[in-house]
Amino acid sequence: MMLAQGFGRRYMKAFLKGFFVAVPVTVTFLDQVACVARVEGASMQPSLNPGGSHSSDVVLLNHWKVRNYEVQRGDIVSLVSPKNPEQKIIKRVIALEGDIIKTIGHKNRYVKVPRGHMWVEGDHHGHSFDSNAFGPVALGLLHAHATHILWPPERWQRLESVLPPERVPVQTEEK
Amino acid sequence: MLRGILGKTIRLLGYTLQYGCIAHCAFEYVGGVVMCSGPSMEPTIQNSDIVFAENLSRHFYAIQRGDIIIAKSPSDPKSNICKRVIGLEGDKIFTHSPSDYLKSHSYVPRGHVWLEGDNLQNSTDSRFYGPVPYGLIRGRICLKIWPLNDFGFLRDSPNSHRFSDE
C-alpha cells in the first residue's frame, strides 16, 4: 500500500515537471517560430484553395521570418483582420510603405502607402475583402508568412513570392 | 572532464530555453512590467514611470472606454505607444474641440479604437494618425509601481469632456 502511494506521488511529480517544460516551450514555438493553419474562402484562388469548399489547403505559417516586420512584395502573409480582430486573413503583399499603388474598387484611384503600413490583396480580385476595401494595413497586424502548402499531399509545394505584373506599384520608394 | 563541462553547458542551455519560454508565455498571456517614456500621458503617467500591464483583457476583448493601453505604433510596428481609449467601434468622436464653432465629428470604424494621450497639448495620437485597429493593442495598464509615492491604480482621464455618450 505504501509503495503504491510513493509511486503515485513520484509519477505526479514527473508529470508536473514534464508539463511545465512541454507546455510553455510548445506554446512559445507555435507563437514565435511556426504553426500550421487551414485556409478557408476563395479570396486567394487559384494560388490557395482552388477546389473551393471541396478541399481546404493547409499551409505552414512562418512567424520567425516576420519577427522584424520585413516582408517583400509578392509574399503571401497572414494578418489580423483590421475589421475584426478575432479573425486572421491571408493575402498577398502588393505594395510596401512609400509605394504608390493603382487600386481596384477603392474610393481613391491612386493611394500612397503610409509609413509603417502595407497594401495587401487577394489573388481572386472581386471576391476578396482586402486593402481595396479597408485601405492600407498597419505592419503591426502582421501575423506570419505562409511559405508552404502542406495538405492535401498532391498540392504539396513551396509558395513563391510572385507579384502579378498587372499589380506592380506605379511608383516604388527606393530604399 | 570535458564531457562534464559539455553536459553542464547543455543543461544550462536547456534551463535557459525552458525559463525563456515560461517568461514569454507569462508576458504574452498574463502580464508584465513596462517602463513608459514620453510626456503624452501626463499627469497620469510621468516620464520614466514603471507600470504593470496585463494582457488578459485584450485576449478576451474586454478593453473599455477610459482604459490606458499599450499598443504597437501604427507608423512604426517596432515601437509601442501608451494612450487612453477614448472611443470604441461605433462611437462618435469629436475631431475638433467642442468649443469650436464648426463642430466636426466622425464615427470610429468597426474593429478600431480611438486613442488619445492625457496630455492633449503634447500627444501624437488618433487625432494625428486616425483610428487604430484593435489588433495592435498589446495590453492594458492597471497599476503604477514606480515612483512609490504614486503607487496604485491609475486616475481617470482629466479630459472627461472628450468622452461621448454614444
Side-chain angles (χ1 to χ4, degrees):
Chain A
M1 185 62 176
M2 281 293 287
L3 263 172
Q5 225 175 18
F7 181 70
R9 204 166 298 161
R10 251 191 308 157
Y11 181 80
M12 200 61 192
K13 242 185 176 169
F15 176 79
L16 283 172
K17 225 176 167 181
F19 183 82
F20 278 109
V21 172
V23 170
V25 172
T26 311
V27 170
T28 306
F29 184 86
L30 293 175
D31 271 353
Q32 295 287 309
V33 181
C35 61
V36 291
R38 182 178 285 273
V39 177
E40 273 158 34
S43 64
M44 283 297 290
Q45 284 178 346
S47 318
L48 298 174
N49 277 7
S53 46
H54 297 290
S55 66
S56 294
D57 289 348
V58 173
V59 292
L60 178 69
L61 294 176
N62 190 338
H63 297 286
W64 193 251
K65 268 190 163 180
V66 298
R67 68 191 185 283
N68 288 323
Y69 305 101
E70 283 164 2
V71 280
Q72 303 302 321
R73 294 178 198 86
D75 285 351
I76 300 183
V77 295
S78 67
L79 55 142
V80 176
S81 168
K83 287 300 184 186
N84 181 4
E86 300 181 33
Q87 202 182 46
K88 306 249 180 344
I89 57 178
I90 186 163
K91 301 281 178 255
R92 195 181 290 272
V93 176
I94 300 292
L96 302 173
E97 61 187 15
D99 293 351
I100 299 181
I101 183 91
K102 184 168 184 203
T103 66
I104 307 174
H106 189 62
K107 53 180 184 227
N108 300 328
R109 199 84 196 283
Y110 290 94
V111 167
K112 178 163 185 184
V113 180
R115 202 129 302 276
H117 287 65
M118 58 180 177
W119 188 271
V120 296
E121 281 177 10
D123 287 347
H124 197 180
H125 298 297
H127 290 257
S128 170
F129 183 60
D130 54 28
S131 283
N132 288 310
F134 46 70
V137 290
L139 279 170
L141 292 176
L142 251 184
H143 178 244
H145 179 182
T147 48
H148 294 78
I149 300 181
L150 299 177
W151 192 269
E154 56 267 19
R155 289 199 30 87
W156 213 92
Q157 64 185 268
R158 214 183 97 102
L159 289 167
E160 299 297 332
S161 287
V162 168
L163 192 59
E166 68 271 14
R167 300 305 300 142
V168 169
V170 168
Q171 183 187 309
T172 64
E173 190 180 76
E174 288 307 311
K175 291 256 168 13
Chain B
M1 179 173 128
L2 211 60
R3 213 182 299 169
I5 292 179
L6 191 65
K8 283 209 172 80
T9 315
I10 290 179
R11 215 173 315 160
L12 182 66
L13 282 172
Y15 279 126
T16 314
L17 182 70
Q18 180 189 345
Y19 287 113
C21 291
I22 293 178
H24 171 266
C25 286
F27 188 78
E28 187 68 30
Y29 295 101
V30 181
V33 175
V34 179
M35 186 173 104
C36 298
S37 59
S40 61
M41 282 299 292
E42 283 172 7
T44 318
I45 299 179
Q46 314 278 350
N47 193 17
S48 310
D49 279 357
I50 300 181
V51 296
F52 181 80
E54 55 92 358
N55 296 332
L56 292 162
S57 300
R58 86 164 161 111
H59 283 291
F60 291 115
Y61 304 101
I63 302 280
Q64 287 161 343
R65 248 173 256 114
D67 284 348
I68 302 180
I69 55 102
I70 298 180
K72 284 191 241 183
S73 166
S75 33
D76 177 15
K78 295 190 196 174
S79 54
N80 294 325
I81 56 172
C82 172
K83 306 284 176 214
R84 198 181 285 269
V85 175
I86 301 295
L88 300 171
E89 63 186 22
D91 288 354
K92 190 201 277 195
I93 294 291
F94 290 103
T95 46
H96 294 282
S97 135
S99 60
D100 281 356
Y101 179 67
L102 283 167
K103 284 190 188 170
S104 69
H105 62 264
S106 58
Y107 289 91
V108 180
R110 201 156 49 97
H112 288 65
V113 293
W114 188 270
L115 304 175
E116 281 178 15
D118 283 353
N119 189 358
L120 287 172
Q121 267 94 336
N122 203 354
S123 166
T124 315
D125 47 39
S126 284
R127 293 169 300 159
F128 175 72
Y129 42 66
V132 173
Y134 189 99
L136 290 179
I137 296 179
R138 313 299 305 141
R140 183 180 74 97
I141 296 181
C142 50
L143 200 61
K144 193 196 285 202
I145 49 185
W146 188 270
L148 290 170
N149 58 4
D150 209 6
F151 185 96
F153 293 111
L154 293 146
R155 274 161 269 161
D156 282 340
S157 170
N159 310 313
S160 44
H161 65 270
R162 300 287 299 149
F163 289 83
S164 68
D165 28 38
E166 264 144 295

